[in-house]
Amino acid sequence: MIHIEKNVSLYPYNTFGIDVRARFFCKIATVPQLQELIASSLYKTEARLILGGGSNILFTKDFQGLVVHMELKGIQTLAETDERIRINVGAGESWHDFVMHCVNQNWGGIENLSLIPGTAGAAPIQNIGAYGVEIANVIETVEGVDASTGLVHVFEKDECRFGYRESAFKVELKEKIFISSVTLTLTKKNHLFDIHYGALRDMLQQQHGDELTVRKISDAVIQIRQSKLPDYRKIGNAGSFFKNPAISHQHLQQLQKNYPLVPSYPSDSQNVKVAAGWLIEQCGWKGKRVNNIGVHPFQALVLVNYGGGTGEEILRLAEQIQTSVKEKFQVNLTPEVNII
Ligand SMILES: Cc1cc2nc3c(=O)[nH]c(=O)nc-3n(C[C@H](O)[C@H](O)[C@H](O)COP(=O)(O)OP(=O)(O)OC[C@H]3O[C@@H](n4cnc5c(N)ncnc54)[C@H](O)[C@@H]3O)c2cc1C
């Protein structure tokens, strides 16, 4: 039986700590509950927003519609051999708790994605990635419920069209599918560790001679993240506010004439990615504070709410940053965060 609440504060439901309200709010714990909601008359007339952990969302105003909070739980082993395991995780499970569950069993593949906030169900949406690994590397299928018919649909990996912080769920399937669970395959032995990312490699090299394990990589990732990123429970934020922009090789060469140190890495045959944080820092934004909001002093890519800031203020700051990066480098920054 579903329960629809009215006029609910979304403050506890977003990591930016923005105090806005939802006209209607409904917690969903099972697929039948979701189907019951989809069949309801209120659902048909209201605008809707699917909400996980609220760690990739900036609320700029009250939401005049129905917020559906995804709380579907469960971790299930579907198949396993000596080498591999196929697991299904409910959309409402905490992503980091799920990673810790896998690390505790010595299952490899997602250890580089430790400590990313949010839910397992949202993880495929922007194809979460960190330290050289993306969730797309281990995904088999994504299970969802059609937001208009209530029918269950299983998306094979290629239907998800994963890219850098992208997937079909962010574009043509946006708000059309409630992701109910995700199925992934992890390794039980002969793990394929990825430690090419500079800071991670350096930290693990300090423990020279020791054999790499799933846990050691996870611990190192957690240590690096805790030293670099603000804890959203203390300072509101949504991680990287912008994506790293892709520019042409020619554009990079032009930039390098004036800025030989611009950090870049290959994107595809046409483009290279440049570090958005570096561009923002060069424009003088790092550590800037405007009343209750600002740019984090250690990480220019992270916009923060020191408490009491509004989503509109953060959005205005983001726009100013975009303008100055455009003027100085002729580069367009695109938000990674969903602006509502
Ligand atoms: C401190 C910090 C560090 C971060 N570091 C990283 C990082 O290293 N790498 C990275 O990729 N991201 C990072 N993020 C961003 C964020 O954690 C991820 O994008 C995460 O997957 C968002 O999950 P969520 O449940 O909070 O999604 P939400 O913010 O609740 O929602 C994000 C989007 O997904 C939709 N959505 C949510 N759940 C569902 C569902 N079940 N079905 C359909 N649509 C849904 C929402 O409508 C919204 O459009 C970071 C965030 C913070 C605060």
Side-chain angles (χ1 to χ4, degrees), residues 15 49-57 70 91 116-119 121-123 125-126 128-130 165 174-175 177-179 225 229-230 232 237-239 336 338:
T15 60
L49 172 72
I50 311 172
L51 188 61
S55 64
N56 202 23
I57 280 189
M70 301 298 278
I116 298 182
T119 55
I125 292 174
Q126 73 152 5
I128 56 165
R165 299 296 178 274
K174 191 173 167 67
E175 299 290 327
I177 296 290
F178 290 89
I179 293 176
R225 291 184 73 98
L229 287 167
Y232 65 84
N237 76 89
E336 184 180 306
N338 295 276

Side-chain angles (χ1 to χ4, degrees), residues 236 298 327:
F298 302 152
E327 278 170 9

Side-chain angles (χ1 to χ4, degrees), residues 15-296:
T15 60
F16 252 126
I18 303 294
D19 197 6
V20 290
R21 302 190 90 79
R23 187 149 174 246
F24 299 103
F25 185 89
C26 185
K27 295 177 179 176
I28 292 294
T30 63
V31 168
Q33 279 186 357
L34 198 47
Q35 290 165 328
E36 186 188 336
L37 178 72
I38 292 168
S40 71
S41 50
L42 183 128
Y43 177 87
K44 292 191 173 70
T45 54
E46 293 298 323
R48 63 179 169 265
L49 172 72
I50 311 172
L51 188 61
S55 64
N56 202 23
I57 280 189
L58 175 67
F59 287 112
T60 58
K61 49 184 176 302
D62 288 341
F63 189 74
Q64 300 297 347
L66 170 68
V67 170
V68 183
H69 192 235
M70 301 298 278
E71 300 187 1
L72 297 92
K73 299 281 195 232
I75 299 174
Q76 239 187 309
T77 297
L78 302 180
E80 69 182 303
T81 63
D82 284 351
E83 299 255 334
R84 285 166 188 276
I85 182 155
R86 215 162 107 230
I87 318 164
N88 179 266
V89 53
E93 291 284 352
S94 144
W95 171 256
H96 176 66
D97 290 353
F98 172 64
V99 175
M100 289 300 98
H101 172 81
C102 298
V103 169
N104 288 341
Q105 323 284 327
N106 191 35
W107 296 337
I110 50 175
E111 55 282 355
N112 295 43
L113 305 180
S114 300
L115 214 64
I116 298 182
T119 55
I125 292 174
Q126 73 152 5
N127 181 19
I128 56 165
Y131 303 97
V133 169
E134 293 177 338
I135 192 180
N137 302 358
V138 292
I139 282 192
E140 291 277 327
T141 53
V142 173
E143 295 74 43
V145 173
D146 186 303
S148 41
T149 62
L151 294 174
V152 173
H153 191 99
V154 178
F155 295 88
E156 296 298 328
K157 184 175 178 170
D158 24 319
E159 289 178 89
C160 300
R161 297 201 308 98
F162 290 119
Y164 165 66
R165 299 296 178 274
E166 281 297 344
S167 75
F169 304 106
K170 232 180 144 175
V171 191
E172 66 267 27
L173 297 175
K174 191 173 167 67
E175 299 290 327
K176 294 199 171 112
I177 296 290
F178 290 89
I179 293 176
S180 49
S181 68
V182 180
T183 300
L184 14 93
T185 294
L186 301 178
T187 49
K188 286 170 70 179
K189 57 182 180 188
N190 301 326
H191 305 298
L192 297 166
F193 295 130
D194 188 331
I195 57 158
H196 78 271
Y197 186 91
L200 182 57
R201 195 185 47 225
D202 294 347
M203 176 161 291
L204 290 162
Q205 267 169 4
Q206 286 165 17
Q207 311 164 357
H208 42 262
D210 290 3
E211 197 198 332
L212 279 182
T213 62
V214 173
R215 178 168 303 282
K216 269 185 203 153
I217 296 177
S218 168
D219 286 350
V221 167
I222 291 173
Q223 211 177 321
I224 298 168
R225 291 184 73 98
Q226 282 173 336
S227 68
K228 279 191 174 173
L229 287 167
D231 180 350
Y232 65 84
R233 291 174 200 90
K234 295 181 185 142
I235 303 175
N237 76 89
S240 304
F241 196 90
F242 300 102
K243 294 189 204 179
N244 288 323
I247 62 172
S248 67
H249 290 275
Q250 199 189 358
H251 191 164
L252 178 67
Q253 279 161 13
Q254 268 167 5
L255 287 182
Q256 283 170 332
K257 284 184 194 153
N258 291 326
Y259 309 98
L261 296 179
V262 56
S264 66
Y265 54 100
S267 169
D268 53 45
S269 59
Q270 313 283 312
N271 294 305
V272 280
K273 287 228 176 72
V274 289
W278 186 88
L279 299 173
I280 297 168
E281 192 175 341
Q282 296 305 304
C283 294
W285 287 104
K286 194 173 179 181
K288 273 252 164 86
R289 182 170 175 158
V290 189
N291 301 323
N292 294 326
I293 61 152
V295 179
H296 195 259

